[in-house]
Amino acid sequence: METTSSTNEHTGRGTMWELERNLDQPMDAEAGRLRNMYREKTYPTLVLLQLAFQSLGVVFGDLGTSPLYVFYNIFPHDIEDTEQVIGALSLIIYSLTLIPLVKYVFIVLRANDNGQGGTFALYSLLCRHAKINTIPNQHRTDEDLTTYSRHTYDEKSLAAKIKRWLEGHQFRKNVILILVLFGTCMAVGDGILTPAISVLSATGGIQVEKPKMRNDVVVILSVVILIGLFSMQHFGTDKVSWLFAPIVFVWFILIGILGAVNISKYDRSVLKAFNPMYVYRYFKRGKTSWASLGGIMLSITGTEALFADLSYFPVQAIQIAFTVVVFPCLLLQYTGQAAYIAQNRNSVVHAFYYSLPDSVRWPSFIVATAAAVVASQATISMTYSIIKQALALGCFPRVRIIHTSKKYLGQIYSPDINWILLIFCIAVTAGFKNQSQIANAYGTAVIMVMLVTTFLMVPIMLLVWRSHWSLVILFTALSLVVEIPYFSAVVRKIDQGGWVPLVFAGAFLIIMYVWHYGTLKRYEFEMHSKVSMAWILGLGPSLGLVRVPGVGLVYTELASGVPHIFSHFITNLPAIHSTLVFVCVKYLPVYTVPPDERFLVKRIGPKNFHMFRCVARYGYKDIHKKDDDFEQMLFNSLMLFVRLESMMEEYTDSDEYSTRELNQAGNANSRINGINAGSNMDLSYTSHDSIIQVQSPNHTGSSQEMPSGQTYQTVGDEIAFLNACREAGVVHILGNTIIRARRDSGLLKKIAINYMYAFLRKICRENSVIFNVPHESLLNVGQVFYV
């Protein structure tokens, strides 16, 4: 049970209470200073303009290359008259205005998680404001993180009612999780289809100059470019990012100027498309207009990547770039193409290239190909980021994640995912061979992601922003008015290529959900089979074994309590290390955990047991790096904990104190006395199990007996003992827990657990590789249990 330091309830804690009262103010000031570090920065105007320019190359490449293939997919057959072109253009204009500009740039971008975007960023926001995380490994101490921002609600408010409704049933939590996973899988499908359609559309411009060139040659050229693109991914975007922004900037200026020239050269009557009445007239034309919505929707593809790639740039920079450069240039280009098509109705295929003057056709082809590669890079990077977030939240098998930039944390690379994407991209490009079927597949993926974002924004606006319900209804209605017609159009084309992203999404969804389900069952079993403290105490300081010199780091998924596998370990081995540390590496629904708040340490049992727990917390953007920092920081925090624990004994005259008191007063005391063990870390982790309280000596300064029979009088003796243990050697003990379905389980559960989850665990990376454990220092302990 957790204790408090209130003088009203415990009159024997006046000294501790006085210490906390004196130290509260500077701790509050420091907490405020730390929190300000993780708020969105304000940039000088010049710097903001520079960032806006750079964002063109990373964020808007996909959206900017859409004019290459939109009109061909709107009018795959004959065009009846000019008014049909004007109606389609009017739909493009207002789709660009309502979805990318209004919905995403000015509304959805505000729903970022400390600068991080994407489906999982929305999910992490919801997990912090409502207890909907299906793996219950969080604790109230996690809410003290400087990056763990959340709101409190009045019990009678609408937000509080929504929160209770979401938390009230496991089914609702699973629905939200499946919705997030489905949106994520569709975004991965987007990452597969964007390179295929962008590169194939750009290279198709060769056929304008070389009409006799076979389509197979264009496909082969596209495949070669794709192989080159994916082969360069291990260098990272940081190595080539200096090229991206100028290329895309030149592209946008080029298409804007060419669009304005085509308007004045061919048909200015297309400017009537800015009148929304032509949208109504377009739909009055019948089923052909409704069927063409799938092609019109391609004009807003890349919008979902705009939100997912948010981590690279501040929101203001993206808003400036879109409103000043991207939006007007796209309007000019689409209007210019419509003017050309209105006068040349038989040249819809490759209308972009046909509308160019002969003198700039080849330079435009080169710039278009480069822009298509940049657009592909943006969605590929988005896919890496999504997979990393899913992995951190326990929704994807362990794959290798590599940092490609020391300067930018968000720039990562996954070789496993990279080659899977390449295989699928080549299969789509070579399998379909034409833009139309790929476009149908692409449109299906894009609209699904947009719908998921719309549905997730509803609880975000209610719980996080605490918006009035009328605004929520208005946002949802305006979004669905545009997205539902597009959705109905792409559904009709499922048999014409639209099935591809559904197959991809279905496969990834099954993998992610089965992995999450297996992880949850393992965690539930370990939670229910924890070793009781009474059993540990009954073994005595030696734990019933020979305590040999050294440190044993026992890795466990439990953030509280002693795992069941530990009892399996000590009942099968004759000796154990003189110091034991139970290490839990867990990920929280925050984008990052500051290094000085990463570790939580507490003692398990009496001092002469020499057992500790260390919880290492990470955000979904953090990486467990391959270096010695983790082990060094762990021991630094352990030493700091021992020092401050001893200091706190001088401020309490009670038989016991809680670890929360140690954390609150100890951090401040360490600043006063100048004690630092490498970083200012949180020092304790309290839980609801039987090992909460830390027993202090009956009187300050009493000696403690060490396992070797020696005694120490001061904290220096224990520090020396821990250092000697570390010098004797550190062994990493990993539990290899295998789960199997019970015999009386249903067929689906048996298939999911015994075959699919087992196969995924077999092919994914081992924990020892994730934790960078040297092979000679590794000890695996296995056990099988049935769920």
Side-chain angles (χ1 to χ4, degrees):
M1 297 294 293
E2 188 180 76
T3 59
T4 63
S5 58
S6 171
T7 56
N8 293 332
E9 297 178 5
H10 301 282
T11 56
R13 292 199 176 183
T15 307
M16 172 64 80
W17 181 86
E18 187 70 24
L19 173 67
E20 291 186 7
R21 188 184 67 173
N22 292 336
L23 296 179
D24 270 347
Q25 182 61 35
M27 287 299 289
D28 290 344
E30 182 177 354
R33 177 182 61 80
L34 288 171
R35 287 185 186 277
N36 288 333
M37 292 170 57
Y38 297 96
R39 290 176 182 167
E40 188 174 352
K41 297 179 181 179
T42 56
Y43 297 90
T45 303
L46 189 60
V47 175
L48 199 61
L49 292 175
Q50 181 182 358
L51 290 172
F53 174 76
Q54 293 175 349
S55 70
L56 292 172
V58 177
V59 177
F60 298 106
D62 190 8
L63 196 62
T65 54
S66 296
L68 291 172
Y69 47 79
V70 167
F71 276 105
Y72 168 65
N73 289 282
I74 296 175
F75 303 115
H77 307 295
D78 295 335
I79 299 174
E80 297 176 7
D81 51 38
T82 302
E83 186 172 312
Q84 187 179 17
V85 177
I86 295 174
L89 175 61
S90 186
L91 267 171
I92 292 174
I93 290 171
Y94 286 101
S95 296
L96 282 170
T97 303
L98 290 175
I99 300 299
L101 182 64
V102 176
K103 177 185 174 181
Y104 275 87
V105 172
F106 290 109
I107 298 178
V108 174
L109 289 188
R110 290 183 55 232
N112 63 85
D113 183 14
N114 289 281
Q116 307 299 314
T119 308
F120 269 106
L122 297 178
Y123 185 61
S124 70
L125 279 175
L126 288 178
C127 287
R128 295 207 299 272
H129 289 80
K131 296 178 181 178
I132 59 173
N133 195 348
T134 53
I135 298 182
N137 66 341
Q138 296 181 42
H139 191 267
R140 60 183 175 275
T141 54
D142 299 332
E143 299 174 9
D144 296 331
L145 287 169
T146 53
T147 52
Y148 199 105
S149 58
R150 56 175 298 180
H151 299 297
T152 57
Y153 314 103
D154 182 82
E155 288 297 321
K156 297 181 180 180
S157 65
L158 177 62
K161 293 177 182 178
I162 296 294
K163 179 177 180 293
R164 287 193 297 268
W165 184 81
L166 290 174
E167 297 173 349
H169 201 281
Q170 186 65 34
F171 174 76
R172 295 162 195 157
K173 300 178 183 179
N174 286 332
V175 168
I176 294 177
L177 175 65
I178 292 174
L179 184 66
V180 170
L181 294 182
F182 182 74
T184 301
C185 295
M186 280 297 178
V188 173
D190 188 7
I192 295 171
L193 295 168
T194 297
I197 191 170
S198 297
V199 174
L200 189 61
S201 300
T203 54
I206 298 178
Q207 292 178 310
V208 175
E209 286 292 329
K210 306 287 184 180
K212 296 182 180 180
M213 181 177 289
R214 296 174 56 192
N215 193 52
D216 291 341
V217 177
V218 176
V219 171
I220 293 173
L221 179 60
S222 300
V223 169
V224 171
I225 293 175
L226 288 172
I227 293 175
L229 172 64
F230 282 95
S231 299
M232 294 187 339
Q233 291 301 309
H234 68 280
F235 292 111
T237 55
D238 189 42
K239 301 292 190 302
V240 292
S241 60
W242 61 273
L243 280 175
F244 286 4
I247 289 174
V248 179
F249 179 74
V250 169
W251 169 253
F252 276 115
I253 297 301
L254 175 66
I255 64 175
I257 292 175
L258 292 175
V261 170
N262 287 338
I263 293 171
S264 61
K265 181 179 179 181
Y266 292 106
D267 191 350
R268 296 184 182 182
S269 66
V270 294
L271 294 175
K272 293 186 292 184
F274 285 87
N275 183 349
M277 282 299 298
Y278 282 91
V279 174
Y280 172 73
R281 293 182 182 179
Y282 185 74
F283 282 117
K284 284 186 66 177
R285 304 179 74 92
K287 294 182 179 180
T288 55
S289 298
W290 196 268
S292 68
L293 285 177
I296 295 172
M297 196 205 61
L298 296 177
S299 63
I300 57 176
T301 55
T303 306
E304 71 291 342
L306 180 150
F307 181 46
D309 286 330
L310 183 62
S311 59
Y312 294 97
F313 302 97
V315 173
Q316 284 183 309
I318 294 177
Q319 290 174 336
I320 292 172
F322 186 84
T323 54
V324 175
V325 178
V326 178
F327 186 64
C329 289
L330 286 176
L331 290 184
L332 285 171
Q333 173 55 214
Y334 283 120
T335 307
Q337 271 196 60
Y340 172 80
I341 294 171
Q343 299 297 320
N344 302 271
R345 297 177 189 172
N346 297 323
S347 300
V348 180
V349 182
H350 303 306
F352 171 79
Y353 289 108
Y354 280 119
S355 66
L356 300 176
D358 294 339
S359 58
V360 298
R361 190 165 289 165
W362 276 109
S364 298
F365 167 74
I366 295 173
V367 176
T369 305
V373 171
V374 173
S376 304
Q377 178 64 55
T379 54
I380 293 169
S381 300
M382 174 193 71
T383 305
Y384 297 151
S385 178
I386 287 172
I387 294 297
K388 173 64 180 67
Q389 293 176 8
L391 189 152
L393 295 177
C395 297
F396 200 82
R398 296 182 295 269
V399 294
R400 190 182 181 192
I401 302 292
I402 301 172
H403 266 292
T404 59
S405 173
K406 295 181 180 179
K407 185 177 180 182
Y408 302 105
L409 180 64
Q411 294 188 4
I412 56 177
Y413 163 68
S414 174
D416 305 324
I417 300 300
N418 183 69
W419 300 121
I420 290 174
L421 291 180
L422 172 61
I423 292 172
F424 284 146
C425 276
I426 293 176
V428 169
T429 305
F432 288 112
K433 297 183 181 181
N434 67 79
Q435 298 178 25
S436 181
Q437 289 182 316
I438 299 178
N440 292 336
Y442 191 26
T444 304
V446 170
I447 197 62
M448 294 290 188
V449 177
M450 290 183 177
L451 284 171
V452 169
T453 301
T454 299
F455 293 137
L456 289 177
M457 281 297 296
V458 173
I460 289 290
M461 295 179 74
L462 290 171
L463 295 180
V464 182
W465 294 352
R466 290 178 285 187
S467 303
H468 194 271
W469 61 267
S470 60
L471 294 176
V472 179
I473 292 176
L474 179 63
F475 168 81
T476 308
L478 287 177
S479 299
L480 295 181
V481 160
V482 179
E483 292 166 0
I484 291 297
Y486 284 143
F487 174 74
S488 65
V490 299
V491 166
R492 297 178 61 182
K493 296 187 177 182
I494 287 180
D495 61 336
Q496 302 174 35
W499 56 270
V500 174
L502 296 178
V503 171
F504 288 151
F508 275 99
L509 181 62
I510 291 173
I511 290 172
M512 295 172 79
Y513 191 78
V514 166
W515 182 263
H516 181 80
Y517 178 76
T519 303
L520 176 61
K521 290 300 178 183
R522 286 180 59 199
Y523 186 83
E524 287 177 349
F525 175 84
E526 294 194 7
M527 280 292 294
H528 293 136
S529 60
K530 291 186 296 187
V531 178
S532 68
M533 190 58 195
W535 185 78
I536 296 288
L537 292 175
L539 296 175
S542 66
L543 299 178
L545 303 170
V546 178
R547 300 293 291 268
V548 298
V551 178
L553 300 181
V554 184
Y555 290 86
T556 173
E557 295 182 3
L558 293 179
S560 62
V562 178
H564 179 265
I565 202 166
F566 178 69
S567 63
H568 180 72
F569 175 70
I570 64 176
T571 53
N572 287 276
L573 291 178
I576 199 167
H577 303 88
S578 53
T579 297
L580 289 174
V581 182
F582 294 93
V583 181
C584 171
V585 177
K586 72 172 184 176
Y587 287 87
L588 301 177
V590 296
Y591 76 102
T592 186
V593 176
D596 57 350
E597 301 179 58
R598 178 146 294 156
F599 291 93
L600 299 172
V601 182
K602 72 161 288 185
R603 189 186 296 276
I604 298 178
K607 284 188 176 181
N608 56 352
F609 276 59
H610 293 289
M611 295 172 63
F612 303 88
R613 177 184 299 114
C614 176
V615 180
R617 304 176 295 180
Y618 290 84
Y620 55 79
K621 280 290 185 181
D622 294 329
I623 296 288
H624 192 86
K625 297 180 181 178
K626 186 177 181 180
D627 50 32
D628 297 328
D629 288 349
F630 179 79
E631 186 176 308
Q632 183 62 47
M633 291 176 67
L634 188 151
F635 278 101
N636 286 345
S637 62
L638 182 60
M639 301 299 181
L640 180 61
F641 170 80
V642 171
R643 288 190 178 98
L644 294 180
E645 181 190 42
S646 176
M647 294 171 62
M648 289 304 97
E649 292 174 359
E650 301 175 6
Y651 290 97
T652 180
D653 48 8
S654 175
D655 287 341
E656 59 187 28
Y657 55 85
S658 71
T659 53
R660 171 171 289 198
E661 293 167 352
L662 178 63
N663 187 34
Q664 291 175 343
N667 273 317
N669 219 3
S670 66
R671 292 187 292 107
I672 292 175
N673 292 278
I675 296 176
N676 190 347
S679 61
N680 297 324
M681 300 172 187
D682 290 319
L683 304 174
S684 62
Y685 190 89
T686 58
S687 57
H688 294 290
D689 58 15
S690 58
I691 5 175
I692 296 301
Q693 298 172 346
V694 180
Q695 300 291 332
S696 64
N698 291 331
H699 60 279
T700 303
S702 63
S703 64
Q704 296 288 334
E705 185 176 351
M706 297 167 61
S708 61
Q710 303 175 3
T711 59
Y712 55 81
Q713 298 287 339
T714 65
V715 65
D717 293 337
E718 186 173 11
I719 295 294
F721 173 75
L722 292 175
N723 283 325
C725 290
R726 185 183 181 188
E727 291 175 1
V730 178
V731 174
H732 300 259
I733 304 169
L734 270 67
N736 185 18
T737 306
I738 300 172
I739 62 172
R740 304 283 294 176
R742 294 191 183 97
R743 290 185 178 180
D744 58 348
S745 300
L747 179 62
L748 287 178
K749 185 175 181 179
K750 288 181 179 180
I751 294 174
I753 296 295
N754 296 348
Y755 297 98
M756 298 182 64
Y757 183 72
F759 175 74
L760 292 174
R761 285 207 68 191
K762 186 176 181 180
I763 64 173
C764 75
R765 304 184 79 212
E766 295 288 341
N767 274 328
S768 58
V769 179
I770 299 292
F771 297 139
N772 309 300
V773 177
H775 183 71
E776 61 275 10
S777 303
L778 174 64
L779 178 61
N780 267 308
V781 181
Q783 70 172 355
V784 179
F785 64 83
Y786 294 86
V787 297

